[in-house]
Amino acid sequence: MKLIEIPPQIAAQAAQLRDQINRHNYLYHSLDKPQISDAAFDALFRQLRALEAQYPALVTDDSPTQRVGAAPLASFSQVRHELPMLSLENAFSAADLEDFERRIKARLETDKQIEFVCEPKIDGVAVSLLYEDGKLVRGATRGDGTSGEDITQNVRTIESIPLRLHGENLPSRLEVRGEIYIAKRTFAAINHEALQRGDKAFANPRNAAAGSLRQLDARLTAKRKLTMFCYSVGLVEGGDLPATQWGILHRLQTWGLRINPFIEVVCGSSACREYFDKMATQRPELDYEIDGVVFKVNDINLQRHLGMLTRTPRWAIAHKFPAEEGYTRLLEVEFQVGRTGAITPVARLEPVKVGGVTISNATLHNMDEVARLNLMTGDRVLVQRAGDVIPKVVAVDAAARPADARAIVLPDHCPACGAEVVLAADEVIARCSGGLYCSAQRKESLRHFASRLAMDIEGLGSKLVQQLVDEGLVNNPADLYRLTEAQLVALERMAPKSANNLLMALEKSKATTLARFIYALGIQEVGESTARNLALFFHDFAALRAADDEQLLAVPDVGPVVAGRIRTFFHQPDNQKVIDELLASGIHWPQVASSDVDPAALKGQSWVLTGTLSVLTRNEAKAKLQSLGAKVSGSVSKNTTCVVAGDAAGSKLTDAQQLGVPVLDESALLALLAEHGVEVA
Ligand code: I6G
């Protein structure tokens, strides 16, 4: 290949453009003080891209044009943190804060006031960034604190994270820690789009940020507009940092990293409490979720003196906010019909602002919950948003009950199809008995079938499903694959291009996995994780269809109720017909690999899971242990073989320590599973 020589003035121009872009990025993202318009910034960016296109040898991997572009990964690799990423002790009251200060003074044997750095605690995802000679070389999740996932390609897409640090006295290796998050406004837009597509909304911005960082294709992460506040350093080699927490944070800022603008230094625990109250007032106005504030001893030498407990530093504490609440009036209760006919009461409320968010709906879960609350329409109710965006009614102000309050009565007929509503003796959930005759159930089943974690049919959201069902074009999932362009363009607001896109998305969705297909069928009680276990166990769909109770009960996570649901589903003639038609339409998946897992490797052992795991969900960890024959129990006894302790593990960990039961952290569990051939990616 002929290399084009780069004229020196072109190289200098590219370097200058890169510096300008990095500087304006810093002014905009880190200092929140933009000096040029978006259009002027875009013009600089376009110029640099044009030069790099003309002279590809100019491209460096820390060029601002190179944030997105890496090929999608097959899986994330694990990263061991050279210094563990700790957790924080929690305080819930002024007394806890006073205690914190008292312990510090006692340990330091001093009566002098202690200086604390205070900052908001961002409700996001903790990460570590490693810079070598100023260049970002690795991004990793906190994971279990000992090891996390390598998310370098994903953090590179985040514009507030510099690909190269600037300024003086950079250490040769510097690990920066902080919280990646999604702004409230961006979160609302992401959820709006998800709902339009018919996908499930994220429960809160933290889940949205975590989900976005766990994308194997960094181009998807780039679309999510994540950002980051840095709050401390980990590893520092080949350079010195200031001797105070405050100084370190501001040094990070001069190097191009983003720190929170509300950081303050105060003296003593009562000033800390004042800061807490101030941030609690400020909280609704912030464009990001915070769940409390963090206090750290400012003097790094004192921090060193104080040292650490097993998982938490003695020199820092998180003071958490209580759940946000507000009173309003229950205007009406509506009954929604889900995919499996479950009838859920939903509270329609007089709009009320709680934690800066206007709430006008809340779930009431089921009629037992309505009875437990002693709730009547017209009541004054207390609504809570506990970090989550799905609010709930937590109490009734019985003294304020109006004279015309009305009892809430479960309808005896389905509000969508009029079929009888039944409440089985052993269930709390009432169901519409209309089955597939109920248009609400049909719509919900189709929405589920098309959703992202099921067949992932792009463009087939709730609105379109509603149109297709209402027009009588689609009654079951197999009908989707029979749709024609002519039928689609005849729908209101459906342009030929959209019709074609949908047909292409339907065609694309035919190449799936066995686990997704099983999940898409919407069998009651068969969620994503059970569908995966069924696929791994049976490998073959025909074998699953024909499975008897004994075989089903051998699948991890499947008990008698779930086994019964699966058998009933596959015995139903209507379901059999739809499945045959789906398979005939060309839905296919790669053969599920037979694994070398020994299903009796941990036979006779009893395991307990506690705390929050970060790589696996608790259910996944449970299923994987069960796939090796272990029993997973909810409480620790002297017969427990081992306890797996995640983050913020509670009394089960203490029980294990007292009883001398071995305790593993998540990374040790992952290693054990991998040793036994269980996939953990
Ligand atoms: O989880 C955390 C949130 C915020 C932190 C933290 C923090 O500082 C503002 N700081 C430390 C040292 C740790 N976790 C371990």
Side-chain angles (χ1 to χ4, degrees):
M1 188 176 68
K2 189 165 169 276
L3 275 180
I4 305 172
E5 209 166 302
I6 303 171
Q9 74 277 16
I10 295 288
Q13 193 189 349
Q16 194 189 15
L17 282 167
R18 239 169 247 155
D19 283 350
Q20 281 177 302
I21 291 168
N22 286 338
R23 189 176 123 71
H24 288 298
N25 225 356
Y26 174 58
L27 287 165
Y28 180 88
H29 289 288
S30 301
L31 300 187
D32 202 14
K33 286 185 186 142
Q35 285 183 354
I36 59 173
S37 66
D38 288 357
F41 182 85
D42 288 348
L44 291 174
F45 202 88
R46 276 198 306 272
Q47 279 179 52
L48 177 61
R49 237 199 339 230
L51 280 186
E52 289 180 344
Q54 204 180 347
Y55 300 98
L58 275 178
V59 180
T60 54
D61 63 358
D62 60 353
S63 168
T65 59
Q66 301 302 303
R67 285 193 175 271
V68 189
L73 301 171
S75 65
F76 293 110
S77 51
Q78 288 284 309
V79 167
R80 212 173 165 78
H81 300 299
E82 289 180 50
L83 291 178
M85 289 183 78
L86 304 171
S87 313
L88 289 177
E89 192 195 334
N90 287 323
F92 295 99
S93 64
D96 288 351
L97 277 186
E98 282 165 23
D99 250 15
F100 170 62
E101 189 183 26
R102 200 173 310 123
R103 284 197 305 270
I104 288 174
K105 284 182 171 174
R107 206 166 181 92
L108 296 175
E109 295 177 352
T110 178
D111 264 344
K112 283 202 211 129
Q113 284 262 34
I114 304 288
E115 232 179 39
F116 292 103
V117 171
C118 320
E119 62 180 297
K121 186 170 187 303
I122 313 298
D123 199 6
V125 181
V127 297
S128 140
L129 305 176
L130 183 63
Y131 286 90
E132 286 180 353
D133 297 321
K135 196 166 142 185
L136 176 67
V137 294
R138 197 191 71 195
T141 58
R142 177 181 180 282
D144 61 2
T146 309
S147 46
E149 282 177 336
D150 186 331
I151 50 162
T152 310
Q153 302 303 351
N154 297 358
V155 300
R156 281 177 61 92
T157 68
I158 300 174
E159 290 180 31
S160 55
I161 296 180
L163 297 179
R164 178 172 283 285
L165 301 178
H166 57 74
E168 305 291 301
N169 299 326
L170 285 167
S172 54
R173 293 184 85 213
L174 171 71
E175 188 202 357
V176 180
R177 293 172 176 180
E179 206 86 0
I180 290 181
Y181 69 92
I182 282 185
K184 288 180 192 166
R185 219 170 330 143
T186 316
F187 169 69
I190 291 174
N191 266 359
H192 178 73
E193 273 172 32
L195 291 172
Q196 291 267 304
R197 280 198 311 270
D199 289 345
K200 252 202 192 145
F202 287 107
N204 53 46
R206 180 177 9 89
N207 287 3
S212 306
L213 280 177
R214 289 206 86 243
Q215 296 291 336
L216 292 167
D217 185 346
R219 284 170 301 187
L220 299 177
T221 312
K223 287 188 188 158
R224 293 284 173 81
K225 299 217 174 340
L226 295 157
T227 183
M228 177 172 181
F229 282 127
C230 300
Y231 58 64
S232 69
V233 291
L235 189 81
V236 183
E237 283 174 7
D240 289 325
L241 286 177
T244 61
Q245 182 73 23
W246 169 264
I248 291 175
L249 290 171
H250 287 83
R251 181 66 57 82
L252 294 182
Q253 190 179 41
T254 65
W255 287 336
L257 293 152
R258 184 160 177 259
I259 61 170
N260 190 278
F262 290 95
I263 300 172
E264 274 182 37
V265 178
V266 304
C267 264
S269 64
S270 50
C272 287
R273 180 65 191 193
E274 279 165 28
Y275 178 85
F276 173 83
D277 291 340
K278 186 175 87 177
M279 288 314 301
T281 314
Q282 190 76 41
R283 186 181 184 191
E285 315 300 326
L286 300 175
D287 190 30
Y288 42 86
E289 293 283 357
I290 63 174
D291 56 359
V293 294
V294 177
F295 303 114
K296 291 180 183 166
V297 171
N298 191 22
D299 186 321
I300 300 294
N301 265 328
L302 295 187
Q303 286 189 4
R304 289 204 185 104
H305 254 86
L306 288 161
M308 302 195 316
L309 291 159
T310 327
R311 287 161 166 268
T312 55
R314 286 199 186 88
W315 41 264
I317 201 159
H319 192 350
K320 293 286 192 73
F321 294 130
E324 292 174 298
E325 296 178 336
Y327 275 99
T328 186
R329 199 150 296 276
L330 174 63
L331 299 176
E332 204 53 72
V333 173
E334 281 175 17
F335 290 87
Q336 280 180 352
V337 188
R339 148 172 80 83
T340 57
I343 308 244
T344 309
V346 177
R348 304 288 176 223
L349 305 164
E350 208 169 84
V352 58
K353 244 186 168 172
V354 178
V357 175
T358 303
I359 292 178
S360 39
N361 301 308
T363 175
L364 292 168
H365 302 293
N366 52 54
M367 291 307 284
D368 273 17
E369 178 71 358
V370 172
R372 191 188 66 77
L373 290 165
N374 181 22
L375 182 64
M376 293 179 79
T377 306
D379 270 341
R380 182 169 181 260
V381 293
L382 182 64
V383 194
Q384 193 177 72
R385 265 185 78 227
D388 280 357
V389 288
I390 302 169
K392 52 185 182 182
V393 172
V394 290
V396 172
D397 180 359
R401 175 160 288 166
D404 59 352
R406 283 169 288 134
I408 298 164
V409 185
L410 178 73
D412 42 20
H413 289 92
C414 170
C417 72
E420 202 184 336
V421 168
V422 287
L423 183 59
D426 52 347
E427 278 211 44
V428 286
I429 296 173
R431 289 180 197 278
C432 156
S433 60
L436 288 178
Y437 291 102
C438 173
S439 65
Q441 287 189 51
R442 263 183 289 148
K443 284 173 192 168
E444 286 302 308
S445 312
L446 287 162
R447 220 174 53 76
H448 170 81
F449 183 82
S451 64
R452 194 160 37 102
L453 298 174
M455 299 301 283
D456 194 16
I457 306 172
E458 220 181 310
L460 186 53
S462 309
K463 289 209 178 112
L464 187 49
V465 165
Q466 182 152 353
Q467 262 183 308
L468 292 170
V469 173
D470 290 346
E471 293 296 323
L473 292 177
V474 173
N475 278 313
N476 63 52
D479 291 337
L480 290 170
Y481 295 99
R482 286 189 277 263
L483 285 169
T484 63
E485 190 181 353
Q487 285 174 325
L488 289 173
V489 290
L491 291 172
E492 219 175 292
R493 291 188 306 278
M494 175 69 83
K497 187 162 178 345
S498 313
N500 250 309
N501 286 347
L502 179 65
L503 291 174
M504 271 174 3
L506 279 161
E507 203 48 42
K508 190 170 155 215
S509 74
K510 289 181 181 172
T512 186
T513 65
L514 177 54
R516 275 175 177 270
F517 182 66
I518 296 170
Y519 175 63
L521 293 176
I523 306 168
Q524 222 174 316
E525 317 272 354
V526 176
E528 219 202 321
S529 154
T530 309
R532 219 176 308 137
N533 287 339
L534 289 166
L536 278 173
F537 187 89
F538 286 101
H539 310 300
D540 176 29
F541 186 63
L544 169 64
R545 279 180 87 169
D548 59 20
D549 254 2
E550 198 185 336
Q551 289 168 301
L552 289 168
L553 287 170
V555 180
D557 231 11
V558 174
V561 173
V562 181
R565 301 270 195 234
I566 297 170
R567 263 191 314 94
T568 311
F569 181 89
F570 286 120
H571 276 93
Q572 266 245 347
D574 281 345
N575 291 341
Q576 289 178 358
K577 182 164 174 281
V578 171
I579 289 169
D580 289 338
E581 288 173 1
L582 284 171
L583 297 177
S585 74
I587 288 177
H588 61 281
W589 49 82
Q591 178 65 35
V592 180
S594 285
S595 76
D596 298 328
V597 174
D598 172 4
L602 306 183
K603 199 165 175 237
Q605 298 193 2
S606 172
W607 287 62
V608 173
L609 302 168
T610 180
T612 311
L613 304 180
S614 45
V615 176
L616 300 175
T617 64
R618 277 236 226 144
N619 265 343
E620 284 168 346
K622 183 174 169 188
K624 286 177 196 301
L625 284 166
Q626 285 173 331
S627 74
L628 293 169
K631 233 181 76 205
V632 179
S633 152
S635 58
V636 182
S637 74
K638 63 180 181 356
N639 297 326
T640 305
T641 313
C642 195
V643 168
V644 179
D647 211 16
S651 60
K652 288 179 200 162
L653 175 58
T654 332
D655 291 347
Q657 284 160 342
Q658 272 165 6
L659 290 166
V661 171
V663 177
L664 296 186
D665 63 11
E666 190 180 12
S667 55
L669 170 69
L670 294 174
L672 178 128
L673 292 171
E675 238 171 62
H676 283 94
V678 178
E679 259 190 65
V680 286

